[in-house]
């Protein structure tokens, strides 16, 4: 088991608000993927997060909670991804919720378990873009600047290009990769085939596969092969 996100090549993202059978969950957790991220945008509750955590814990795989709703954060995960939406136009998604969380839990947090993720949301039609009022009309130069900001100004461990629900623009992913040396580049969005997984993995450090798990499990599982084809 590799707990260090720096070694992750492929991860599956499971949405606590969506239903997955025990059989499908077993296939996902035993697929050879490097980790499971638990995260979503709508209807995330402590109950559905805990339920998924307990079920994923049956398997020997690292599991990270992507902390979106503060009241749905619970101990028990190996790590916690803390999204910082760099291209949000609302301060609450960049520092607001984070400051609130630190005010309340700052004394008891285990800092080593927290991983700040500098999000750059690029699909204008995805839920997270609407929620965070993200400025998604970004060209290659814009994206490159956000990537530099993530690494050089804020020393964020992860720069996450989020195309959730849409297959992204490889040229933009490459533009980010070209200026990153220490910050890891995560790509997520619309990966539904091994060919797409390979194309994005050739540029990004880590690819995140979500939706297709619920739409076509076989196709989702095929994307793990990206780890053997590099
Ligand atoms: C979503 O980046 C992930 O947060 C993965 O995107 O669901 O489109 O695969 P998809």
């Amino acid at each position: 088991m590799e707990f260090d996100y720096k070694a992750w090549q492929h991860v599956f993202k499971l949405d606590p608000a969506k239903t997955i059978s025990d059989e499908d969950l077993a296939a996902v957790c035993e697929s050879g993927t490097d980790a499971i991220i638990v995260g979503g945008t709508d209807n995330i509750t402590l109950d559905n997060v805990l339920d998924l955590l307990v079920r994923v814990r049956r398997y020997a795989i690292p599991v990270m909670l992507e902390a979106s709703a503060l009241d749905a954060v619970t101990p028990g995960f190996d790590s916690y991804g803390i999204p910082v939406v760099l291209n949000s136009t609302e301060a609450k998604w960049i520092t607001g919720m984070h400051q609130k969380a630190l005010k309340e839990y700052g004394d008891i947090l285990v800092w080593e378990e927290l991983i700040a993720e500098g999000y750059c949301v690029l699909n204008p039609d995805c839920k997270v873009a609407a929620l965070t009022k993200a400025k998604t009309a970004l060209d290659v130069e814009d994206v490159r600047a956000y990537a530099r900001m993530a690494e050089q100004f804020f020393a964020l461990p992860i720069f996450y290009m989020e195309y959730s629900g849409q297959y992204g623009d490889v040229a933009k992913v490459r533009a980010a990769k070209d200026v990153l040396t220490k910050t890891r580049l995560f790509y997520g969005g619309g990966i539904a085939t091994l060919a797409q997984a390979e194309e994005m993995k050739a540029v990004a450090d880590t690819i995140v596969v979500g939706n297709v798990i619920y739409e076509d499990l076989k196709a989702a599982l095929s994307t793990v092969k990206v780890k053997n084809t590099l």
Side-chain angles (χ1 to χ4, degrees), residues 47-215:
D47 272 359
N48 58 28
V49 167
L50 274 172
D51 180 66
L52 194 52
L53 171 64
V54 169
R55 293 176 68 207
V56 172
R57 275 286 182 233
R58 293 178 197 147
Y59 305 93
I61 186 152
V63 53
M64 174 168 115
L65 176 65
E66 206 156 55
S68 39
L70 205 53
D71 50 4
V73 176
T74 170
F77 285 84
D78 298 306
S79 57
Y80 296 84
I82 312 295
V84 173
V85 184
L86 297 170
N87 62 330
S88 171
T89 56
E90 285 192 340
K92 73 187 254 196
W93 303 107
I94 310 168
T95 58
M97 306 233 301
H98 316 69
Q99 191 265 353
K100 249 190 205 160
L102 294 176
K103 194 173 164 190
E104 199 164 337
Y105 304 110
D107 288 337
I108 56 164
L109 288 172
V110 182
W111 303 109
E112 298 72 43
E113 292 177 353
L114 309 186
I115 306 164
E117 307 170 288
Y119 260 71
C120 186
V121 181
L122 288 146
N123 172 6
D125 301 321
C126 71
K127 285 179 193 164
V128 67
L131 182 71
T132 64
K133 300 202 172 50
K135 208 174 154 197
T136 56
L138 303 176
D139 63 21
V140 166
E141 300 297 329
D142 293 320
V143 170
R144 186 179 289 136
Y146 274 120
R148 284 190 159 131
M149 185 187 294
E151 177 163 316
Q152 306 296 341
F153 288 177
F154 298 122
L156 293 167
I158 292 171
F159 183 65
Y160 190 135
M161 294 183 66
E162 175 64 290
Y163 275 94
S164 183
Q166 180 191 63
Y167 190 65
D169 180 344
V170 190
K172 289 180 187 168
V173 183
R174 189 167 295 115
K177 180 62 188 168
D178 283 348
V179 297
L180 296 176
T181 53
K182 292 196 285 287
T183 295
R184 301 283 298 178
L185 178 60
F186 277 42
Y187 169 84
I191 293 178
T193 64
L194 176 58
Q196 290 174 331
E198 283 171 348
E199 184 176 46
M200 284 304 179
K201 182 65 190 76
V203 184
D205 298 307
T206 306
I207 55 163
V208 183
V209 177
N211 256 329
V212 70
I213 299 166
Y214 302 93
E215 282 159 11

